[in-house]
Each structure stands twice: as structure tokens, then as C-alpha cells.
Amino acid sequence: MLILTCPYCGVEADETELSPGGEAHLKRFGPGSSEEEFEGYLFMRENPKGVHFERWRHAYGCGKWFLAARCTMTLEVFGTYPAQTTEPPKKIRDAISAKRPGWSWGDFK
Amino acid sequence: MSEAVSALSGASYDGIVRVADAGLQGMIQLRGNLGKAAVKNAVTGVTGVDFPAARQANVNGERGILWMSPDELLVLVPYAEATQAVETITMALKKEHHLAADVSDARVMFSLEGEGLREVLAKLTPADMSRAGLPVGEMRRTRLAQVAAGVWLESETSARVIAFRSVAHYVMGLLTHSAQPGSEVGHF
């Protein structure tokens, strides 16, 4: 069971109170981009065994979208943070580094 | 005008706790910037209760303010005053970006009375229903089995549940089943 703390309302929400929103920190490539970039935006996803960043929506609660950093192998949650960020905040990165030294995910490390 | 009735016309059930349709209750959904003084004044003006902190339910009888999300409140007023209250709020917030809607007839409110109400609710929701997890006076939006609901405790022996009117029979069935005599767990 996965329990995430919603950064907007502070509720410790169970996985079943949330809606999954797939990978976090996607960069949109729209009109004017190359076919490779567009394909990457639409279809190419990280599939890590370990540290992962995801979007979640507190559907059965305040209804807000937020981002979560967790481990796909152990279900350990490193932290959650508001969706209005283009990269994981330092606090989250430090929390991950403390548990998983040398981690990397996409362009982040 | 047609006679207004609550979703289950006051149906009730006596089990571990008493489950009852709490009857007609005026409910106004208000979305806007909760940090603005105008918003706070508008809702405290029509209810007469203090503005709630995050996740709090400030309720006094049929009047109250429930904190639903960082930009949403549910304002409780007597059913007969709901239409007027929406107008009062709309007038007061003329210059603010907001939305005030009378949802009284789109929701159902249940009352739970009795010692075992934390247990009755805990069987239906993933939310922490312990005394530490949901103190008296805290609003918790969650789900009861398969439908969305809002829950708050008025005291250790009295709780309120709000759900969509369209699922009123379903929620009544859930609460009734969960409150069956002989199904006590004794966890809390």
C-alpha cells in the first residue's frame, strides 16, 4: 500500500484516494518540434527500478495535482511537492541522496 | 412551490451507532482565494462562525464553514436561507474572482450517533479514523467504499457524513451494513 501526503491539504492519502497521472517533469514538444522530439514526448517514458518521479491527483480529497518522488522497488516515499515546479526541489533531492547515493533519473541527479 | 425533501426522507437505522439522514441542510459551495479578507468576511458573515484553519470544520448547529481544499469551502446555513445566502455572498464578492453555488439539493448529509462511530467509518474508508488521525472538528474528504464523501466529528459520539445525493441510498446501505449489531471490532 502506498500512502502519499498531499502537499496542498496535508492529508495522508491512501493510494486508493489518489489518481495516478504517470511520469512527472515531462517537457512538451508541440508544433514546430522534430518528429523524434514529438515521439519522445508522446511515448518515451522512464521505467526505472528505483528512484522515480510521478504525478498524482488527490482525487478523493482536495482535487489537486501534485508530484511525488518514490522508489519503485521498495515503495519507499522520499517526498511529495507541488506540481508548479519544473524540477525536483532541493529538499526532495537531498532526501533521495541520503537514501540512494548516486541516484539519477532522466537529467536529474 | 414543490415541497423540498431530503434524499432519504429522514430514514434511520439503529445498530452499533444510530445512522440517520440528517434532513434538509443548506450547503453552498464556494471557490475562490481563501486568503482574501473579503472572502473570509463574506462566509463568516452568513454563518456567524469563525473562519476555519486548513482542514477544519467550524460548525454551530445548522451553520458552519467546512474547509474542503486550499481554494474551496462548503458553507452550511439553514436550508431555507441557502438561496438568500448565495446572493449575500455573491454581492459581497462582486469584485473578487469566485464561484458560489447552492448545492443543498445535490448533496445528502448523514448523522452518526453513538460510541462506535470511528469503527463504523473505519470499515468503509482508507482514512485514519483514530483519535490522533481525525480529531474532533477536523474535516476529512475521503471515500466511503466506492464513492466520495466528507466526514467530520462533532464529538466522540457524533459525526456527520456528506455525500452526493445521487449515491444517498448506496451510502445509507454502507453505513447500515457497517453498523450492524454484532459486527463490533473494538479497535479504537
Side-chain angles (χ1 to χ4, degrees), chain A residues 8-14 16-17 58-64, chain B residues 31 55 67-71 126-127 140-143 146-148:
Chain A
Y8 294 98
C9 64
V11 162
E12 286 182 14
D14 175 65
T16 58
E17 292 177 88
H58 194 186
Y60 281 103
C62 68
K64 304 294 179 203
Chain B
R31 298 203 83 141
R55 297 205 309 280
W67 192 96
M68 304 296 273
S69 90
D71 57 4
R140 181 65 152 90
R141 289 178 80 177
T142 180
R143 63 179 177 89
Q146 300 184 48
V147 297

Side-chain angles (χ1 to χ4, degrees), chain B residues 1 45 57 73 80 155 161 167 187:
Chain B
M1 201 178 132
L73 298 172
S155 72
V161 175
V167 293
H187 179 65

